[in-house]
Amino acid sequence: MRRCAFRLVVAILALLLPIGTALAGLSRTDLLVAARAIGFIEAMRAGPVRVGIVYLPDNAESAQQAHEIASLMDTGLRVGDRIFKPTLVSLPQANNANVDLFFLTQGVGVQAAQLARISHVRKITCVTFDISQVRNGACTMGVRTQPRIEVIVNRSAAQASGTGFAAVFRIMITEI
Amino acid sequence: MTKKARHYCRSALRLSAFMATLYASTSPLYAQPMDYGALESLFGEAVTTSVTGSPQRAGDVPASMIIITAEDIRRSGARDIPGVLRHVPGVDVLQWTNDQADVAVRGHNQAQSPRLLVLVDGRQVYADHYGYTPWSAVPVELPDIRQIEIVMGTNSALFGFNAVDGVINIVTYDPLYDDVNTASIRGGTQGLVQGSAITTFKIDDDAGLRISLGGHRADDFSSPQRAGDLGTRRGDDRKAIDVLGHARFKHGIDVSLELSHSEASEPEISPLYTTFYTPYRTNSLKLFLSAETDAGILQLTAYRNWFKAVQAAPDPLALVYKMDNEVSVVQLQDIFKIGNDHIFRISGEYRHNALKSTPLAGADVSYGVLAGGAMWAWTIQPDLTLTNSIRVDYLTLGRSGLIPPGFGLSNSDWNGRSLTEVSFNSGIVWKPDSADALRLTVARGVQVPNLLNLGGLLFALPVGYVSGVPYLKPTIVMNYGLDWDHALPAFDTRLKVRLFYQASRDLLANFGGIAPALNIFAAPTNIGRSAAMGAEISLGGTTGDWRWGISYTPEVIADHFAPGFNVTNALVDYEHTNPVHVVNANLGWARDLWEIDGYLRYESQFDSIQGVSSSTPGGTLVRIPDYVSMDARMAYRMTDHLTLAVSGQNLLQSPQRQTSAPEVERRVYLTVTANL
């Protein structure tokens, strides 16, 4: 019932609110790439991984992407020996979310700094498709799949959130 | 088995109590070293360390490189590694006998070619006393292989001496990361019976074991032999076993231990270009340690290879060469990143190579090599990378034991003799857009005379000795390359254009030297220069259920030997023995339960060296007309676990003249593979 209400809200917002940028449709491939990159985080155990999909309820772009990610993950996205279980987390509720990982949606803008503080205090890694949030330090790791697969890690954000990576992985990615 | 019994069983397989205190199983999952599968899945392309020693995506390497995947190997229909390699642009395969082939990269192919370095997981598997690769004796089964990495051109700066024309690194599955359980049996023409079995199992999450077994029995070709070679066809036999254990510990420490043993017997073309029958026996022991530290990824590799072979010709006057060679290698390297834009690799290596003299026994010839190297990869801009590698090798010779009567050299002529050589690799990779990559490479490589050339070869004739000598110069190779890769995503196609120029000086020949003052009638010697220029142009891709490729590799070689040296006395002629035009084409289709693949190869006419006899060094050139050969495979997946395949090589014409050796026959076989 809650999921149905959420979808209705998103649909109404999509009709009513102007969207400044075209929504980039996510695919299962995008999520799989992100999940594989997460697998190189040192403390990421095998088994279930609770993913908090962080969004702004009053931002249509953010809400839409949150819905897309949750929909693609469905009841769980299995990659290797991990299964990623999604939970929708509005940004104001992130501090109390019982999750292993934050997945920041696009469109959050400067308010992502709030998530960064929570991530650093609670030592929970933040991952996103919004590379600008990695460049400004709000999120630790960004993943891009076009034109080719790239993984970008903000070293300061990684250190602040207690996120370590496999050494071989670090050599092969972009660190800023 | 009860839960308690399983628990005790697992514990009993753990390492000692001291090691168990470091064991990672009670700790969070720590960082993993090179998990090829996971990295390939992440980046959507193969990954490698074979160009710079540091992990890289295949599209980013500063060298011409081809990676043959496990799928390529399976769909090749080949029953051995040369059979896979013959489909690769820029790779030349001389199929001398049913089991013996010589492989070269970018020309300069010859009998028992010493210019190509072949490794399995970084351990050299070529016969170090001479530098050639007896492929049957390599203790690897095709289903063991994750990928075959071929570096085209010189790479001495990473791998040391003898990586002058190219490097082939065979990467196998890791029992800690990969789950491979395969058994296959194959039967076919030439009386072939072949089987292999590979299993990996995890002791727990942090320890795994892989066991590989394989073997075959076959007859050689029945095409006519020369009179002097009759008696060498005694059958092809091979058996091999390889055991690899890999364990992961706390603090990012990984340890692996590998043992292998192989035995193989086959008729083969020798450096005299006559036929010998040679049984081989090899053993190896390798230890690998990796640790993630604040100073970077520290890795220690230590291995020892034992190699024995007896090369005998049916000519009653021919000598019997007993090769007894031991190689010990210790390598230490540190890979680290400074900032985001600079990756460094610092390395050190010690190698000791020893051979007992033959056919006249009683002396031991050896050399020790101390090497230091460094690599720096600089990402100047996101689309521009410069990589430089340099290596300095310091080699010292040694000899002890027998000085036969009248021999003009003494052990002191070897002991203390040394040489110091520098090799380097430089490459720029520029990606102006998402579809293009340009590479410019320059490299200097060094081919050191082998131990036979340096004195391991020793026998007496009435007119004097035939002997290796300590005063040979190494061959220096300069390699220049320009590559362009262009992707056509709309057609899922890739165009690759590679241009290269390679110049070798102080080429080595096994014969042609003479030193009357030393009572040496025949000796190896440096004979001059050779230059090769060529291109590899290939286009290939996938379209729905189809995959296809076509390539054209023109290459011209020009020899400039010192006066008096030619194929007759030195048994060397690169210029005329290289086919100028080679075309490869492949077409494959796969859907549901079926896979069908075909491969064509055209080689323009060339000459092939033919030896005089096994007791008389000397050669002539035999014209090989241009020819087309075809390989194919058709497979049907009968169940989720069982596949039936029929495949063949040289299908178009049998027998077919491909070298100066007896003509190559058509080979057809049926393979049943079970994947568990």
Side-chain angles (χ1 to χ4, degrees), chain A residues 32-46 81-82 143 147-151 153 155 165-176, chain B residues 27-35 38-39 41-45 47-48 54-57 59-60 292 296-297 299 335-337 339-341 343 431 434:
Chain A
L32 285 172
V33 171
R36 288 171 188 143
I38 291 166
F40 288 90
I41 296 174
E42 281 185 338
M44 199 58 58
R45 294 173 180 271
D81 55 4
R82 295 178 185 88
V143 175
R148 76 170 202 161
I149 294 168
E150 303 273 5
V151 178
V153 165
R155 282 199 303 274
F165 296 95
V168 167
F169 176 76
R170 283 189 55 226
I171 286 173
M172 299 181 72
I173 60 168
T174 302
E175 289 181 300
I176 56 176
Chain B
S27 307
L29 197 68
Y30 265 82
Q32 304 170 343
M34 200 71 180
D35 181 347
L39 290 165
S41 292
L42 169 62
F43 292 113
E45 61 179 306
V47 296
T48 178
S54 176
Q56 289 179 295
R57 298 163 69 161
D60 294 343
E292 295 183 22
I297 305 173
Q299 293 181 334
I335 304 167
F336 55 96
K337 200 170 178 180
N340 183 54
D341 301 327
I343 296 171
K431 298 186 178 182
S434 60

Coordinates of all heavy atoms in Angstrom, one line a residue, chain A residues 32-46 81-82 143 147-151 153 155 165-176, chain B residues 27-35 38-39 41-45 47-48 54-57 59-60 292 296-297 299 335-337 339-341 343 431 434:
Chain A
L32 N 24.0 -3.3 -12.0 CA 25.0 -4.4 -11.8 C 26.4 -3.9 -11.7 O 27.2 -4.4 -10.9 CB 24.8 -5.4 -13.0 CG 23.6 -6.3 -13.0 CD1 23.5 -7.1 -14.3 CD2 23.7 -7.3 -11.8
V33 N 26.7 -2.9 -12.5 CA 28.1 -2.4 -12.5 C 28.3 -1.7 -11.1 O 29.4 -1.9 -10.5 CB 28.2 -1.3 -13.6 CG1 29.6 -0.6 -13.4 CG2 28.2 -2.0 -15.0
A34 N 27.3 -1.0 -10.6 CA 27.5 -0.4 -9.3 C 27.7 -1.4 -8.2 O 28.5 -1.3 -7.4 CB 26.3 0.5 -9.0
A35 N 26.9 -2.5 -8.3 CA 26.9 -3.5 -7.3 C 28.3 -4.2 -7.4 O 28.9 -4.6 -6.3 CB 25.8 -4.6 -7.6
R36 N 28.8 -4.4 -8.6 CA 30.2 -5.1 -8.7 C 31.2 -4.2 -8.1 O 32.2 -4.6 -7.5 CB 30.5 -5.4 -10.1 CG 29.6 -6.5 -10.7 CD 29.8 -6.7 -12.2 NE 28.9 -7.7 -12.7 CZ 28.2 -7.6 -13.8 NH1 28.4 -6.6 -14.6 NH2 27.4 -8.5 -14.2
A37 N 31.1 -2.9 -8.3 CA 32.1 -1.9 -7.8 C 32.0 -1.9 -6.2 O 33.0 -1.9 -5.6 CB 31.8 -0.5 -8.3
I38 N 30.8 -2.0 -5.7 CA 30.6 -2.1 -4.3 C 31.3 -3.3 -3.7 O 31.8 -3.3 -2.6 CB 29.1 -2.1 -3.9 CG1 28.5 -0.7 -4.2 CG2 28.9 -2.4 -2.4 CD1 27.0 -0.7 -4.3
G39 N 31.4 -4.4 -4.5 CA 32.0 -5.6 -4.0 C 33.5 -5.4 -3.7 O 34.1 -6.3 -3.0
F40 N 34.1 -4.3 -4.2 CA 35.5 -4.1 -3.9 C 35.7 -3.2 -2.6 O 36.9 -2.9 -2.3 CB 36.2 -3.5 -5.1 CG 36.4 -4.5 -6.2 CD1 35.4 -4.6 -7.2 CD2 37.5 -5.3 -6.3 CE1 35.6 -5.5 -8.2 CE2 37.7 -6.2 -7.3 CZ 36.7 -6.3 -8.3
I41 N 34.7 -2.9 -2.0 CA 34.8 -2.2 -0.7 C 35.2 -3.2 0.4 O 34.6 -4.3 0.5 CB 33.5 -1.5 -0.3 CG1 33.1 -0.4 -1.3 CG2 33.6 -0.9 1.1 CD1 31.7 0.2 -1.1
E42 N 36.2 -2.9 1.1 CA 36.9 -3.9 2.0 C 35.9 -4.4 3.0 O 35.9 -5.6 3.3 CB 38.1 -3.2 2.7 CG 39.3 -3.2 1.8 CD 40.5 -2.7 2.6 OE1 40.3 -2.0 3.6 OE2 41.6 -3.0 2.2
A43 N 35.1 -3.6 3.6 CA 34.2 -4.1 4.7 C 32.9 -4.7 4.3 O 32.1 -5.0 5.1 CB 34.0 -2.9 5.7
M44 N 32.7 -4.8 3.0 CA 31.4 -5.2 2.5 C 31.4 -6.7 2.5 O 31.9 -7.4 1.7 CB 31.2 -4.7 1.0 CG 29.8 -4.7 0.5 SD 28.7 -3.7 1.5 CE 29.4 -2.1 1.5
R45 N 30.6 -7.3 3.5 CA 30.6 -8.7 3.7 C 29.7 -9.4 2.7 O 28.9 -8.7 2.0 CB 30.0 -9.0 5.1 CG 30.8 -8.5 6.3 CD 30.0 -8.8 7.6 NE 30.7 -8.3 8.7 CZ 31.6 -9.1 9.4 NH1 31.8 -10.3 9.1 NH2 32.2 -8.6 10.5
A46 N 29.9 -10.7 2.6 CA 29.0 -11.5 1.7 C 27.6 -11.5 2.4 O 27.5 -11.2 3.6 CB 29.6 -12.8 1.5
D81 N 28.3 -13.2 -4.3 CA 27.9 -13.7 -3.0 C 27.2 -12.7 -2.2 O 27.1 -12.8 -1.0 CB 29.0 -14.4 -2.3 CG 30.2 -13.4 -2.0 OD1 30.0 -12.2 -2.4 OD2 31.2 -13.8 -1.5
R82 N 26.7 -11.6 -2.8 CA 25.9 -10.6 -2.1 C 24.5 -10.5 -2.7 O 24.3 -10.7 -3.9 CB 26.6 -9.3 -2.1 CG 28.0 -9.2 -1.4 CD 28.7 -7.9 -1.5 NE 30.0 -8.0 -0.9 CZ 31.1 -8.4 -1.6 NH1 31.0 -8.7 -2.9 NH2 32.2 -8.5 -1.0
V143 N 29.7 5.9 -10.1 CA 29.8 4.9 -11.2 C 29.1 5.5 -12.4 O 28.0 6.1 -12.4 CB 29.1 3.6 -10.8 CG1 29.1 2.6 -12.0 CG2 29.8 3.0 -9.6
P147 N 30.5 6.8 -21.7 CA 30.7 5.9 -22.9 C 31.4 4.6 -22.5 O 31.4 3.7 -23.3 CB 31.5 6.8 -23.8 CG 32.2 7.7 -23.0 CD 31.3 8.0 -21.8
R148 N 32.1 4.6 -21.4 CA 32.7 3.4 -20.9 C 32.6 3.3 -19.4 O 32.3 4.4 -18.8 CB 34.1 3.2 -21.4 CG 35.2 4.0 -20.7 CD 36.6 3.5 -21.1 NE 37.6 3.9 -20.1 CZ 38.8 3.3 -20.0 NH1 39.1 2.3 -20.8 NH2 39.6 3.7 -19.1
I149 N 32.7 2.2 -18.8 CA 32.5 2.0 -17.4 C 33.7 2.7 -16.7 O 34.9 2.5 -16.9 CB 32.5 0.5 -17.0 CG1 31.3 -0.1 -17.6 CG2 32.5 0.4 -15.5 CD1 31.2 -1.6 -17.6
E150 N 33.3 3.6 -15.8 CA 34.3 4.4 -15.0 C 33.8 4.3 -13.5 O 32.6 4.4 -13.2 CB 34.3 5.8 -15.4 CG 34.7 6.1 -16.8 CD 36.2 6.1 -17.1 OE1 37.0 5.9 -16.2 OE2 36.6 6.4 -18.3
V151 N 34.8 4.2 -12.6 CA 34.5 4.3 -11.2 C 35.3 5.4 -10.7 O 36.6 5.5 -10.9 CB 34.9 3.0 -10.5 CG1 34.6 3.1 -9.0 CG2 34.1 1.8 -11.1
V153 N 36.3 7.7 -7.2 CA 36.3 7.7 -5.7 C 36.8 9.0 -5.2 O 37.9 9.4 -5.7 CB 37.0 6.4 -5.2 CG1 37.3 6.6 -3.7 CG2 36.3 5.2 -5.4
R155 N 38.8 10.5 -2.4 CA 39.6 9.9 -1.3 C 39.3 10.5 0.0 O 39.3 9.8 1.0 CB 41.1 10.2 -1.7 CG 41.7 9.3 -2.7 CD 43.2 9.3 -2.7 NE 43.8 10.6 -2.8 CZ 44.0 11.2 -4.0 NH1 43.8 10.5 -5.1 NH2 44.5 12.4 -4.1
F165 N 39.3 0.3 0.1 CA 39.1 -0.5 -1.2 C 40.3 -1.5 -1.4 O 41.4 -1.2 -0.9 CB 39.0 0.4 -2.4 CG 37.8 1.3 -2.3 CD1 37.9 2.6 -1.9 CD2 36.6 0.9 -2.8 CE1 36.8 3.5 -1.8 CE2 35.5 1.8 -2.7 CZ 35.6 3.1 -2.3
A166 N 40.0 -2.5 -2.1 CA 41.1 -3.4 -2.6 C 42.1 -2.7 -3.3 O 41.8 -1.8 -4.1 CB 40.5 -4.5 -3.4
A167 N 43.4 -3.0 -3.0 CA 44.5 -2.2 -3.6 C 44.5 -2.3 -5.1 O 44.7 -1.3 -5.8 CB 45.8 -2.7 -3.0
V168 N 44.2 -3.5 -5.7 CA 44.2 -3.6 -7.1 C 43.1 -2.7 -7.7 O 43.3 -2.1 -8.8 CB 44.0 -5.1 -7.5 CG1 43.7 -5.3 -9.0 CG2 45.3 -5.9 -7.2
F169 N 42.0 -2.7 -7.1 CA 40.8 -1.9 -7.5 C 41.2 -0.4 -7.5 O 40.9 0.3 -8.5 CB 39.7 -2.2 -6.6 CG 38.4 -1.3 -6.8 CD1 37.6 -1.7 -7.9 CD2 38.1 -0.3 -6.0 CE1 36.4 -0.9 -8.1 CE2 36.9 0.5 -6.2 CZ 36.1 0.1 -7.3
R170 N 41.9 0.0 -6.5 CA 42.3 1.5 -6.4 C 43.2 1.8 -7.5 O 43.1 3.0 -8.1 CB 43.0 1.7 -5.1 CG 42.0 1.8 -3.9 CD 42.7 2.3 -2.7 NE 43.4 3.6 -2.9 CZ 44.7 3.8 -2.6 NH1 45.4 2.9 -1.9 NH2 45.2 5.0 -2.8
I171 N 44.1 0.9 -7.9 CA 45.0 1.2 -9.0 C 44.2 1.4 -10.3 O 44.7 2.2 -11.2 CB 46.1 0.1 -9.1 CG1 47.1 0.3 -8.0 CG2 46.8 0.2 -10.5 CD1 48.1 -0.8 -7.9
M172 N 43.1 0.7 -10.5 CA 42.4 0.7 -11.8 C 41.3 1.7 -11.9 O 40.7 1.8 -13.0 CB 41.9 -0.7 -12.0 CG 43.0 -1.8 -12.1 SD 42.3 -3.4 -12.4 CE 41.9 -3.3 -14.1
I173 N 41.0 2.5 -10.8 CA 39.9 3.5 -10.9 C 40.5 4.9 -10.9 O 41.7 5.1 -10.8 CB 39.0 3.3 -9.7 CG1 39.7 3.5 -8.4 CG2 38.3 1.9 -9.8 CD1 38.8 3.6 -7.2
T174 N 39.6 5.8 -11.0 CA 40.0 7.2 -10.8 C 39.7 7.7 -9.4 O 38.6 7.6 -8.9 CB 39.1 8.1 -11.8 OG1 39.3 7.6 -13.1 CG2 39.6 9.6 -11.7
E175 N 40.8 8.2 -8.8 CA 40.6 8.8 -7.5 C 40.8 10.3 -7.5 O 41.7 10.8 -8.2 CB 41.7 8.2 -6.5 CG 41.4 6.7 -6.2 CD 42.4 6.2 -5.2 OE1 43.6 6.2 -5.6 OE2 42.1 5.7 -4.1
I176 N 39.9 11.0 -6.8 CA 40.0 12.5 -6.8 C 40.1 13.0 -5.4 O 39.8 12.3 -4.5 CB 38.9 13.1 -7.6 CG1 37.5 12.7 -7.0 CG2 38.9 12.8 -9.1 CD1 36.3 13.4 -7.6
Chain B
S27 N 37.8 -12.8 10.0 CA 37.9 -11.4 9.8 C 36.9 -11.0 8.7 O 36.5 -11.8 7.9 CB 39.3 -11.0 9.5 OG 40.2 -11.5 10.4
P28 N 36.7 -9.7 8.6 CA 35.9 -9.3 7.4 C 36.6 -9.7 6.2 O 37.8 -9.8 6.1 CB 35.8 -7.8 7.6 CG 36.1 -7.5 9.0 CD 37.0 -8.6 9.5
L29 N 35.9 -9.7 5.1 CA 36.4 -10.1 3.8 C 37.4 -9.0 3.4 O 37.1 -7.9 3.2 CB 35.3 -10.2 2.8 CG 35.6 -11.0 1.5 CD1 35.8 -12.4 1.9 CD2 34.5 -10.8 0.5
Y30 N 38.7 -9.4 3.4 CA 39.7 -8.4 3.1 C 39.9 -8.3 1.6 O 39.4 -9.0 0.8 CB 41.0 -8.8 3.8 CG 41.1 -8.1 5.1 CD1 40.5 -8.6 6.2 CD2 41.8 -6.9 5.2 CE1 40.6 -7.9 7.4 CE2 41.9 -6.2 6.4 CZ 41.3 -6.7 7.5 OH 41.3 -6.1 8.7
A31 N 40.7 -7.3 1.3 CA 40.9 -6.9 -0.1 C 41.5 -8.1 -0.9 O 42.3 -8.9 -0.3 CB 41.9 -5.8 -0.1
Q32 N 41.1 -8.2 -2.1 CA 41.6 -9.3 -2.9 C 42.6 -8.9 -3.9 O 42.5 -7.8 -4.5 CB 40.4 -9.9 -3.7 CG 39.2 -10.3 -2.8 CD 38.0 -10.6 -3.6 OE1 37.9 -10.3 -4.8 NE2 37.0 -11.3 -3.0
P33 N 43.7 -9.7 -4.1 CA 44.6 -9.3 -5.2 C 43.9 -9.7 -6.5 O 42.7 -9.9 -6.5 CB 45.8 -10.2 -5.0 CG 45.3 -11.3 -4.2 CD 44.2 -10.8 -3.4
M34 N 44.6 -9.9 -7.6 CA 44.1 -9.9 -8.9 C 43.0 -11.0 -9.1 O 43.2 -12.1 -9.5 CB 45.2 -10.1 -9.9 CG 45.0 -9.8 -11.3 SD 44.9 -8.0 -11.4 CE 44.5 -7.9 -13.2
D35 N 41.7 -10.6 -8.9 CA 40.6 -11.4 -9.1 C 40.1 -11.1 -10.6 O 39.3 -10.2 -10.8 CB 39.5 -11.2 -8.1 CG 38.3 -12.1 -8.4 OD1 38.2 -12.7 -9.4 OD2 37.4 -12.2 -7.5
A38 N 36.2 -11.0 -11.3 CA 35.5 -9.9 -10.8 C 35.8 -8.6 -11.4 O 34.9 -7.7 -11.7 CB 35.8 -9.8 -9.3
L39 N 37.1 -8.3 -11.7 CA 37.5 -7.1 -12.4 C 37.0 -7.0 -13.8 O 36.5 -6.0 -14.3 CB 39.0 -7.0 -12.4 CG 39.6 -6.7 -11.0 CD1 41.1 -6.9 -11.0 CD2 39.3 -5.3 -10.5
S41 N 34.3 -8.5 -14.9 CA 32.8 -8.3 -14.9 C 32.5 -6.8 -14.6 O 31.6 -6.3 -15.1 CB 32.2 -9.2 -13.7 OG 32.3 -10.5 -14.1
L42 N 33.3 -6.2 -13.7 CA 33.1 -4.8 -13.4 C 33.3 -3.9 -14.6 O 32.5 -3.1 -14.9 CB 34.0 -4.4 -12.2 CG 34.1 -2.9 -11.9 CD1 32.7 -2.4 -11.5 CD2 35.1 -2.6 -10.8
F43 N 34.5 -4.0 -15.2 CA 34.9 -3.1 -16.3 C 34.4 -3.5 -17.7 O 34.5 -2.7 -18.6 CB 36.4 -2.9 -16.3 CG 36.9 -2.2 -15.1 CD1 37.7 -2.9 -14.2 CD2 36.6 -0.9 -14.8 CE1 38.2 -2.3 -13.0 CE2 37.1 -0.3 -13.7 CZ 37.9 -1.0 -12.8
G44 N 33.8 -4.7 -17.8 CA 33.3 -5.1 -19.1 C 34.3 -5.3 -20.1 O 34.1 -5.3 -21.3
E45 N 35.6 -5.6 -19.7 CA 36.6 -5.9 -20.6 C 37.7 -6.7 -19.8 O 37.7 -6.6 -18.6 CB 37.3 -4.7 -21.3 CG 37.9 -3.7 -20.3 CD 38.5 -2.5 -21.0 OE1 39.3 -2.7 -21.9 OE2 38.1 -1.4 -20.7
V47 N 41.2 -7.8 -18.1 CA 42.2 -7.0 -17.4 C 43.5 -7.8 -17.4 O 43.5 -9.1 -17.6 CB 41.8 -6.8 -15.9 CG1 40.5 -5.9 -15.9 CG2 41.5 -8.1 -15.2
T48 N 44.6 -7.2 -17.3 CA 45.9 -7.8 -17.4 C 47.0 -7.1 -16.6 O 46.8 -5.9 -16.3 CB 46.3 -7.8 -18.9 OG1 47.6 -8.4 -19.1 CG2 46.4 -6.4 -19.5
S54 N 51.5 -3.8 -13.6 CA 50.5 -3.3 -12.8 C 49.2 -3.6 -13.4 O 49.1 -3.7 -14.7 CB 50.7 -1.7 -12.7 OG 49.6 -1.1 -12.0
P55 N 48.1 -3.8 -12.6 CA 46.8 -4.2 -13.2 C 46.2 -3.1 -14.1 O 46.2 -1.9 -13.7 CB 45.9 -4.5 -12.0 CG 46.6 -3.8 -10.9 CD 48.0 -3.8 -11.2
Q56 N 45.7 -3.5 -15.3 CA 45.2 -2.5 -16.2 C 44.1 -3.1 -17.0 O 44.0 -4.4 -17.2 CB 46.3 -2.1 -17.3 CG 47.4 -1.2 -16.7 CD 48.4 -0.9 -17.8 OE1 49.0 -1.8 -18.3 NE2 48.4 0.4 -18.1
R57 N 43.2 -2.3 -17.5 CA 42.2 -2.7 -18.5 C 42.9 -2.9 -19.8 O 43.8 -2.2 -20.2 CB 41.1 -1.7 -18.6 CG 40.3 -1.5 -17.2 CD 39.5 -0.2 -17.2 NE 38.4 -0.3 -18.1 CZ 37.3 0.5 -18.0 NH1 37.3 1.4 -17.0 NH2 36.3 0.5 -18.8
G59 N 42.1 -2.3 -22.7 CA 42.0 -1.1 -23.6 C 43.0 0.0 -23.2 O 43.1 0.9 -24.0
D60 N 43.6 -0.1 -22.1 CA 44.4 1.0 -21.6 C 45.9 0.7 -21.7 O 46.7 1.6 -21.4 CB 44.1 1.3 -20.1 CG 42.7 1.9 -19.9 OD1 42.1 2.3 -20.9 OD2 42.2 1.8 -18.8
E292 N 49.1 -6.4 1.0 CA 48.7 -5.0 0.8 C 49.2 -4.2 2.0 O 48.9 -4.5 3.1 CB 47.2 -4.9 0.7 CG 46.7 -5.5 -0.6 CD 45.2 -5.4 -0.7 OE1 44.7 -4.4 -0.2 OE2 44.6 -6.2 -1.4
G296 N 52.2 0.0 -0.6 CA 51.7 -0.5 -1.8 C 51.5 -2.0 -1.8 O 51.5 -2.6 -0.7
I297 N 51.3 -2.6 -3.0 CA 51.1 -4.0 -3.1 C 52.5 -4.7 -3.2 O 53.2 -4.5 -4.2 CB 50.2 -4.4 -4.3 CG1 48.9 -3.7 -4.3 CG2 50.0 -5.9 -4.4 CD1 48.1 -3.8 -5.5
Q299 N 54.8 -8.0 -3.7 CA 54.6 -9.3 -4.2 C 55.9 -10.0 -4.3 O 56.9 -9.4 -4.8 CB 53.9 -9.3 -5.5 CG 52.4 -8.8 -5.4 CD 51.7 -8.8 -6.8 OE1 52.3 -8.7 -7.8 NE2 50.4 -8.9 -6.7
I335 N 54.0 -2.3 -6.1 CA 53.2 -1.5 -7.0 C 52.4 -0.5 -6.1 O 51.8 -0.9 -5.1 CB 52.2 -2.3 -7.7 CG1 52.9 -3.4 -8.5 CG2 51.3 -1.5 -8.7 CD1 51.9 -4.5 -9.1
F336 N 52.6 0.8 -6.4 CA 51.9 1.8 -5.6 C 51.5 3.0 -6.4 O 52.0 3.2 -7.5 CB 52.8 2.2 -4.4 CG 54.2 2.7 -4.8 CD1 54.4 4.1 -5.0 CD2 55.2 1.9 -5.0 CE1 55.6 4.6 -5.4 CE2 56.5 2.4 -5.4 CZ 56.7 3.7 -5.6
K337 N 50.5 3.7 -5.8 CA 50.0 4.9 -6.5 C 50.3 6.1 -5.7 O 50.2 6.1 -4.4 CB 48.5 4.7 -6.6 CG 47.7 5.5 -7.6 CD 46.3 4.9 -7.6 CE 45.4 5.7 -8.6 NZ 44.1 5.3 -8.7
G339 N 49.1 10.0 -5.4 CA 48.0 10.8 -5.9 C 47.1 10.0 -6.8 O 46.9 8.8 -6.6
N340 N 46.5 10.7 -7.8 CA 45.6 9.9 -8.6 C 46.2 9.6 -10.0 O 45.8 8.7 -10.7 CB 44.3 10.8 -8.9 CG 43.3 10.0 -9.8 OD1 43.0 8.9 -9.5 ND2 42.9 10.6 -10.9
D341 N 47.3 10.3 -10.3 CA 47.8 10.3 -11.7 C 49.1 9.5 -11.9 O 49.6 9.4 -13.0 CB 48.0 11.7 -12.2 CG 46.7 12.5 -12.1 OD1 45.6 11.9 -12.3 OD2 46.8 13.7 -11.9
I343 N 51.2 5.9 -11.1 CA 51.4 4.6 -10.6 C 52.8 4.1 -10.9 O 53.4 4.3 -11.9 CB 50.4 3.6 -11.4 CG1 49.0 4.0 -11.1 CG2 50.6 2.1 -10.9 CD1 47.9 3.3 -11.9
K431 N 43.4 8.8 -26.1 CA 42.0 8.4 -26.4 C 41.3 9.7 -26.7 O 40.7 10.3 -25.8 CB 41.3 7.7 -25.3 CG 42.0 6.3 -25.0 CD 41.3 5.5 -24.0 CE 42.0 4.2 -23.8 NZ 41.3 3.3 -22.9
S434 N 35.5 8.6 -27.3 CA 35.2 7.3 -26.7 C 35.4 6.1 -27.7 O 35.4 5.0 -27.3 CB 33.7 7.3 -26.3 OG 32.9 7.6 -27.4

